[in-house]
mmCIF file of all heavy atoms in Angstrom:
data_model
loop_
_atom_site.group_PDB
_atom_site.id
_atom_site.type_symbol
_atom_site.label_atom_id
_atom_site.label_comp_id
_atom_site.label_asym_id
_atom_site.label_seq_id
_atom_site.Cartn_x
_atom_site.Cartn_y
_atom_site.Cartn_z
ATOM 1 N N ALA Z 55 -21.253 2.717 3.043
ATOM 2 C CA ALA Z 55 -22.574 3.363 3.025
ATOM 3 C C ALA Z 55 -22.962 3.840 4.417
ATOM 4 O O ALA Z 55 -23.462 4.966 4.596
ATOM 5 C CB ALA Z 55 -23.621 2.393 2.475
ATOM 6 N N TRP Z 69 -13.233 7.606 7.807
ATOM 7 C CA TRP Z 69 -13.106 6.377 7.024
ATOM 8 C C TRP Z 69 -11.634 6.100 6.721
ATOM 9 O O TRP Z 69 -10.877 7.004 6.383
ATOM 10 C CB TRP Z 69 -13.898 6.459 5.723
ATOM 11 C CG TRP Z 69 -13.770 5.201 4.910
ATOM 12 C CD1 TRP Z 69 -12.933 4.966 3.867
ATOM 13 C CD2 TRP Z 69 -14.494 3.985 5.119
ATOM 14 N NE1 TRP Z 69 -13.094 3.685 3.399
ATOM 15 C CE2 TRP Z 69 -14.037 3.057 4.157
ATOM 16 C CE3 TRP Z 69 -15.475 3.583 6.022
ATOM 17 C CZ2 TRP Z 69 -14.540 1.753 4.078
ATOM 18 C CZ3 TRP Z 69 -15.972 2.297 5.942
ATOM 19 C CH2 TRP Z 69 -15.512 1.399 4.977
ATOM 20 N N ILE Z 114 -20.012 -3.866 -23.800
ATOM 21 C CA ILE Z 114 -19.213 -4.709 -24.694
ATOM 22 C C ILE Z 114 -19.925 -4.878 -26.033
ATOM 23 O O ILE Z 114 -19.294 -4.839 -27.099
ATOM 24 C CB ILE Z 114 -18.952 -6.084 -24.037
ATOM 25 C CG1 ILE Z 114 -17.975 -5.935 -22.871
ATOM 26 C CG2 ILE Z 114 -18.388 -7.070 -25.062
ATOM 27 C CD1 ILE Z 114 -17.788 -7.213 -22.060
ATOM 28 N N VAL Z 130 -16.605 -12.324 -26.889
ATOM 29 C CA VAL Z 130 -16.027 -11.597 -25.751
ATOM 30 C C VAL Z 130 -16.752 -11.941 -24.449
ATOM 31 O O VAL Z 130 -16.118 -12.269 -23.427
ATOM 32 C CB VAL Z 130 -16.073 -10.072 -25.978
ATOM 33 C CG1 VAL Z 130 -15.592 -9.329 -24.718
ATOM 34 C CG2 VAL Z 130 -15.223 -9.672 -27.170
ATOM 35 N N GLU Z 174 -12.388 15.955 -36.769
ATOM 36 C CA GLU Z 174 -11.766 17.259 -36.969
ATOM 37 C C GLU Z 174 -12.264 18.283 -35.963
ATOM 38 O O GLU Z 174 -11.516 19.128 -35.482
ATOM 39 C CB GLU Z 174 -12.036 17.748 -38.402
ATOM 40 C CG GLU Z 174 -11.394 16.902 -39.487
ATOM 41 C CD GLU Z 174 -9.891 16.873 -39.368
ATOM 42 O OE1 GLU Z 174 -9.291 17.888 -38.933
ATOM 43 O OE2 GLU Z 174 -9.293 15.827 -39.697
ATOM 44 N N GLU Z 203 -2.413 1.702 -15.461
ATOM 45 C CA GLU Z 203 -3.272 0.706 -16.096
ATOM 46 C C GLU Z 203 -4.106 1.277 -17.237
ATOM 47 O O GLU Z 203 -4.410 0.558 -18.207
ATOM 48 C CB GLU Z 203 -4.188 0.082 -15.045
ATOM 49 C CG GLU Z 203 -4.792 -1.225 -15.454
ATOM 50 C CD GLU Z 203 -5.359 -1.990 -14.277
ATOM 51 O OE1 GLU Z 203 -5.793 -1.346 -13.292
ATOM 52 O OE2 GLU Z 203 -5.363 -3.217 -14.314
ATOM 53 N N PHE Z 208 -3.154 4.728 -22.724
ATOM 54 C CA PHE Z 208 -3.947 5.403 -23.752
ATOM 55 C C PHE Z 208 -3.196 6.594 -24.343
ATOM 56 O O PHE Z 208 -3.271 6.840 -25.552
ATOM 57 C CB PHE Z 208 -5.302 5.833 -23.192
ATOM 58 C CG PHE Z 208 -6.364 4.778 -23.313
ATOM 59 C CD1 PHE Z 208 -6.869 4.149 -22.189
ATOM 60 C CD2 PHE Z 208 -6.849 4.395 -24.547
ATOM 61 C CE1 PHE Z 208 -7.839 3.159 -22.293
ATOM 62 C CE2 PHE Z 208 -7.820 3.414 -24.680
ATOM 63 C CZ PHE Z 208 -8.311 2.786 -23.547
ATOM 64 N N TYR Z 215 -0.164 5.315 -32.479
ATOM 65 C CA TYR Z 215 -1.131 5.093 -33.563
ATOM 66 C C TYR Z 215 -1.080 6.214 -34.590
ATOM 67 O O TYR Z 215 -1.006 5.963 -35.804
ATOM 68 C CB TYR Z 215 -2.535 4.972 -32.974
ATOM 69 C CG TYR Z 215 -3.633 5.058 -34.008
ATOM 70 C CD1 TYR Z 215 -3.925 3.976 -34.835
ATOM 71 C CD2 TYR Z 215 -4.375 6.229 -34.165
ATOM 72 C CE1 TYR Z 215 -4.927 4.064 -35.793
ATOM 73 C CE2 TYR Z 215 -5.379 6.325 -35.114
ATOM 74 C CZ TYR Z 215 -5.643 5.240 -35.930
ATOM 75 O OH TYR Z 215 -6.629 5.328 -36.882
ATOM 76 N N HIS Z 349 -0.353 -1.469 -23.490
ATOM 77 C CA HIS Z 349 -0.918 -1.739 -22.161
ATOM 78 C C HIS Z 349 -0.324 -3.005 -21.548
ATOM 79 O O HIS Z 349 0.161 -2.998 -20.409
ATOM 80 C CB HIS Z 349 -2.439 -1.879 -22.260
ATOM 81 C CG HIS Z 349 -3.092 -2.320 -20.981
ATOM 82 N ND1 HIS Z 349 -3.156 -3.649 -20.592
ATOM 83 C CD2 HIS Z 349 -3.701 -1.619 -19.983
ATOM 84 C CE1 HIS Z 349 -3.768 -3.744 -19.436
ATOM 85 N NE2 HIS Z 349 -4.108 -2.526 -19.041
ATOM 86 N N TYR Z 373 -8.061 -9.214 -20.006
ATOM 87 C CA TYR Z 373 -9.175 -8.542 -20.686
ATOM 88 C C TYR Z 373 -8.745 -8.047 -22.066
ATOM 89 O O TYR Z 373 -9.484 -8.182 -23.052
ATOM 90 C CB TYR Z 373 -9.665 -7.351 -19.858
ATOM 91 C CG TYR Z 373 -10.335 -7.689 -18.548
ATOM 92 C CD1 TYR Z 373 -10.594 -6.703 -17.607
ATOM 93 C CD2 TYR Z 373 -10.719 -8.991 -18.235
ATOM 94 C CE1 TYR Z 373 -11.211 -6.990 -16.400
ATOM 95 C CE2 TYR Z 373 -11.337 -9.288 -17.026
ATOM 96 C CZ TYR Z 373 -11.576 -8.280 -16.114
ATOM 97 O OH TYR Z 373 -12.191 -8.568 -14.919
ATOM 98 N N SER Z 431 -25.487 -14.620 13.172
ATOM 99 C CA SER Z 431 -26.074 -13.286 13.357
ATOM 100 C C SER Z 431 -27.304 -13.337 14.251
ATOM 101 O O SER Z 431 -27.479 -12.487 15.140
ATOM 102 C CB SER Z 431 -26.446 -12.689 11.987
ATOM 103 O OG SER Z 431 -25.300 -12.527 11.182
ATOM 104 N N ASN Z 458 -27.351 -4.811 9.361
ATOM 105 C CA ASN Z 458 -26.923 -3.635 10.119
ATOM 106 C C ASN Z 458 -27.455 -3.577 11.550
ATOM 107 O O ASN Z 458 -27.288 -2.556 12.225
ATOM 108 C CB ASN Z 458 -27.304 -2.329 9.396
ATOM 109 C CG ASN Z 458 -26.415 -2.045 8.210
ATOM 110 O OD1 ASN Z 458 -25.230 -2.367 8.216
ATOM 111 N ND2 ASN Z 458 -26.987 -1.438 7.172
ATOM 112 N N ILE Z 485 -14.762 4.086 19.177
ATOM 113 C CA ILE Z 485 -15.077 5.103 20.182
ATOM 114 C C ILE Z 485 -16.135 4.543 21.136
ATOM 115 O O ILE Z 485 -17.189 4.070 20.691
ATOM 116 C CB ILE Z 485 -15.593 6.387 19.517
ATOM 117 C CG1 ILE Z 485 -14.503 6.999 18.631
ATOM 118 C CG2 ILE Z 485 -16.052 7.400 20.575
ATOM 119 C CD1 ILE Z 485 -14.962 8.220 17.857
ATOM 120 N N ASN Z 597 1.767 17.613 7.577
ATOM 121 C CA ASN Z 597 2.178 18.382 8.751
ATOM 122 C C ASN Z 597 1.217 18.101 9.905
ATOM 123 O O ASN Z 597 -0.006 18.072 9.710
ATOM 124 C CB ASN Z 597 2.189 19.880 8.428
ATOM 125 C CG ASN Z 597 3.230 20.225 7.382
ATOM 126 O OD1 ASN Z 597 4.373 19.794 7.456
ATOM 127 N ND2 ASN Z 597 2.830 21.004 6.382
#
Side-chain angles (χ1 to χ4, degrees):
W69 180 262
I114 289 173
V130 174
E174 295 299 327
E203 199 164 29
F208 272 112
Y215 167 77
H349 173 278
Y373 292 168
S431 298
N458 285 326
I485 297 176
N597 295 313

